[in-house]
Amino acid sequence: MKMLSTLQTPRSTLSRFTIPSTITTFTSHSQTLPQASLTTQSPTTSSPHSQILSTRHSLLSRNLSAVDLVRSHLTRLRITEPHLRSFLHLPDDNTLIAQANDLDRRIANGEEVGPLAGVLVAVKDNICTADMPSTGGSRILENYRPPFDATAVKRVRELGGIVVGKTNMDEFGMGSTTEASAFQVTANPWDVSRVPGGSSGGSAAAVSARQCVVSLGSDTGGSVRQPASFCGVVGLKPTYGRVSRFGLMAYASSLDTIGCFGSSVADTGFLLHAIAGHDRFDATSSKQEVPNFLSHFDSASSLESKPLKGLRVGLIRETIEDGVDAGVVSTIRAAASHFEELGCSVNEVSLPSFSLGLPAYYILALSESSSNLSRYDGIRYGNQVYADELDSLYGDSRAKGLGSEVKMRILMGTYALSAGYYDAYYKRAQQVRTIIRNSFKEALDQYDILISPASPSAAYKIGEKKNDPLAMYAGDIMTVNVNLAGLPALVLP
């Protein structure tokens, strides 16, 4: 990750009519870096580009107050939000200013503040927050307020981060454009006629439009990486288990991860460090020590002419073949050439099982979702429809509370798990999952990282694929294999 950060440079002012191209990197080594404490140094010529570090330095040197910082973002929100619709829930301005005032008071008194002090963080609406509604983008949970914060949100707050709001998403994470939200459609900040991707489209758009500094999303089959690609920001999907899923509304429990968006690699690394680590409330969270990712970053200006010398890079052949836009292929090949200029050895590598990932993913994800979403019955959570019979109460509450995409996926998942079809679909998909995991392991025994496009095309026009679910599902072909293998992945503009 240290070496990859040298490819990231500060982005210029947004151009509304430019869709940025991206590159995705996969690695098997995200949890093997040495342990170190979280550093909070001031930005210097040798520090990586980081809004988080710059914010902390400005606050501690009294060049900027937290109140000024919050008011600046609130002003930008008022200007951009009517056009973008990134957020579903925003707290009262006075609530955020009160938090900023408290931070300024603590700094003035010489008290220690956390490394995320004053950093405005947006949170995807399927990640629970006790002080704001958490609806998962669904009418069935409209106005629902959890009694607790998700572990990731709790850790952000403990380190001084300020939650600026809850971002729009495809209902329960089921979609690739954020058009499946029950409440509104989010626009892409680079071109408002296009989608921001999904399902974490609101979180990606908010960072891209500078409505916040960093944001949290969730990734089940590419829901952090694809919108990061479409919106031109850095998106990080951690290794499965690196971040606690406690407080994340379950879609497919064996695939779900909470991920990070930022305008630089350093900021996503900083945010990951803040939320990573074992959690006793999540039995699947890793007990492995959390390294200090930021300590492995160097500024590009401090490196030699061949800073990536010796790094072995594999370009996945199946991701640049038929079905991928020519512009995307040329961009990825240009990125591969840039790797070589920086000292890497780059070779194409074939993963024959790559094309099997998409059908296996949808069978497994939809099967798990049909079980996980059974809790939304009008009794335990959210909105309830009045009925004389219990079965009618269940049926009517779900019929009126769930959107068409969610209903379709629940039905397909239930079918795959039904008697007579379990072995033909679910069991076989699990076997394919093992093949994919082994295929990645073999490739990563030969290469340090694997690269591919994050999506086979640039951002779609709004409405372009809404009525063609198979075409929309095919857009996930670059990302789903990583979730099936449990690997980490990083999207770079």
Side-chain angles (χ1 to χ4, degrees):
M1 298 185 96
K2 164 189 172 184
M3 294 177 287
L4 291 177
S5 71
T6 63
L7 301 180
Q8 177 65 20
T9 56
R11 290 177 50 238
S12 58
T13 304
L14 290 176
S15 164
R16 284 201 162 197
F17 304 101
T18 304
I19 302 300
S21 299
T22 58
I23 182 169
T24 305
T25 66
F26 315 119
T27 173
S28 63
H29 308 303
S30 69
Q31 296 181 2
T32 59
L33 299 175
Q35 172 68 10
S37 60
L38 183 62
T39 57
T40 55
Q41 71 268 29
S42 300
T44 67
T45 56
S46 62
S47 297
H49 171 68
S50 169
Q51 287 191 62
I52 292 176
L53 286 179
S54 297
T55 298
R56 180 179 178 84
H57 177 63
S58 297
L59 292 177
L60 295 183
S61 63
R62 313 291 176 86
N63 291 330
L64 183 71
S65 72
V67 170
D68 290 339
L69 189 67
V70 167
R71 283 179 174 158
S72 174
H73 275 88
L74 289 175
T75 298
R76 185 161 181 80
L77 268 169
R78 280 190 285 268
I79 294 171
T80 58
E81 187 57 17
H83 307 286
L84 298 182
R85 302 175 296 280
S86 304
F87 288 88
L88 290 177
H89 315 291
L90 289 166
D92 182 79
D93 289 5
N94 292 331
T95 301
L96 296 178
I97 291 173
Q99 293 180 52
N101 267 319
D102 181 63
L103 177 59
D104 285 335
R105 177 191 57 77
R106 292 172 59 195
I107 293 174
N109 292 338
E111 298 178 29
E112 180 63 30
V113 294
L116 296 183
V119 175
L120 273 71
V121 184
V123 177
K124 189 176 179 179
D125 200 40
N126 62 344
I127 302 173
C128 289
T129 48
D131 58 347
M132 277 180 272
S134 300
T135 68
S138 178
R139 292 284 181 192
I140 204 166
L141 287 180
E142 191 170 9
N143 298 319
Y144 170 70
R145 286 179 179 262
F148 60 92
D149 282 336
T151 296
V153 173
K154 180 182 177 184
R155 288 175 174 171
V156 165
R157 294 191 199 272
E158 288 174 345
L159 295 178
I162 298 175
V163 176
V164 69
K166 304 301 290 297
T167 55
N168 193 27
M169 58 176 289
D170 288 305
E171 186 176 7
F172 289 118
M174 299 182 183
S176 302
T177 63
T178 311
E179 294 173 287
S181 169
F183 302 103
Q184 62 192 30
V185 175
T186 297
N188 192 310
W190 293 76
D191 180 350
V192 294
S193 70
R194 296 179 183 269
V195 300
S199 63
S200 306
S203 291
V207 171
S208 184
R210 301 299 189 263
Q211 294 176 312
C212 59
V213 177
V214 290
S215 65
L216 295 178
S218 66
D219 192 309
T220 303
S223 291
V224 163
R225 289 159 288 153
Q226 187 239 37
S229 168
F230 283 4
C231 291
V233 296
V234 177
L236 175 62
K237 173 224 172 287
T239 306
Y240 182 81
R242 180 75 285 181
V243 178
S244 170
R245 292 184 296 111
F246 180 73
L248 171 67
M249 297 177 189
Y251 167 13
S253 301
S254 71
L255 302 167
D256 294 341
T257 55
I258 291 178
C260 310
F261 293 96
S263 59
S264 70
V265 175
D267 281 343
T268 57
F270 227 132
L271 184 58
L272 175 61
H273 190 284
I275 64 175
H278 179 66
D279 177 20
R280 65 187 180 91
F281 295 115
D282 177 9
T284 65
S285 65
S286 173
K287 293 183 179 180
Q288 202 160 354
E289 292 292 338
V290 180
N292 179 3
F293 304 110
L294 200 66
S295 68
H296 297 269
F297 294 143
D298 290 318
S299 171
S301 61
S302 67
L303 297 173
E304 57 186 32
S305 60
K306 299 286 185 181
L308 303 188
K309 187 176 182 180
L311 188 74
R312 300 167 301 169
V313 177
L315 173 57
I316 302 175
R317 183 177 303 145
E318 286 75 12
T319 66
I320 53 173
E321 294 181 335
D322 293 342
V324 183
D325 287 2
V328 173
V329 174
S330 64
T331 300
I332 295 305
R333 290 200 179 279
S337 296
H338 186 55
F339 270 114
E340 290 179 321
E341 292 170 5
L342 295 172
C344 298
S345 62
V346 181
N347 295 288
E348 289 189 14
V349 57
S350 177
L351 299 180
S353 62
F354 200 87
S355 62
L356 303 177
L358 196 65
Y361 165 80
Y362 272 102
I363 290 171
L364 295 173
L366 303 192
S367 297
E368 292 184 30
S369 72
S370 73
S371 174
N372 280 325
L373 269 65
S374 65
R375 70 194 69 184
Y376 304 114
D377 54 12
I379 301 293
R380 288 167 283 193
Y381 304 96
N383 293 328
Q384 182 183 99
V385 173
Y386 176 79
D388 293 327
E389 300 290 335
L390 186 61
D391 285 346
S392 297
L393 187 153
Y394 288 159
D396 292 347
S397 295
R398 288 169 173 157
K400 295 182 179 180
L402 298 176
S404 58
E405 181 67 27
V406 173
K407 292 174 184 174
M408 180 172 65
R409 295 195 184 201
I410 290 173
L411 288 171
M412 288 193 292
T414 303
Y415 177 84
L417 291 175
S418 59
Y421 296 99
Y422 178 91
D423 287 348
Y425 293 105
Y426 186 79
K427 183 178 178 180
R428 183 170 294 182
Q430 290 285 27
Q431 292 169 336
V432 170
R433 183 178 192 169
T434 301
I435 293 172
I436 290 170
R437 185 184 295 115
N438 291 338
S439 178
F440 269 99
K441 184 180 184 302
E442 290 175 8
L444 288 167
D445 284 341
Q446 301 176 51
Y447 298 95
D448 297 304
I449 63 170
L450 305 177
I451 61 173
S452 82
S455 175
S457 70
Y460 324 126
K461 291 281 188 179
I462 291 175
E464 181 180 345
K465 296 186 181 291
K466 190 172 183 181
N467 297 319
D468 189 354
L470 291 181
M472 190 180 297
Y473 297 167
D476 296 334
I477 191 168
M478 303 295 182
T479 54
V480 295
N481 286 276
V482 179
N483 296 79
L484 292 171
L487 292 171
L490 181 72
V491 165
L492 295 172

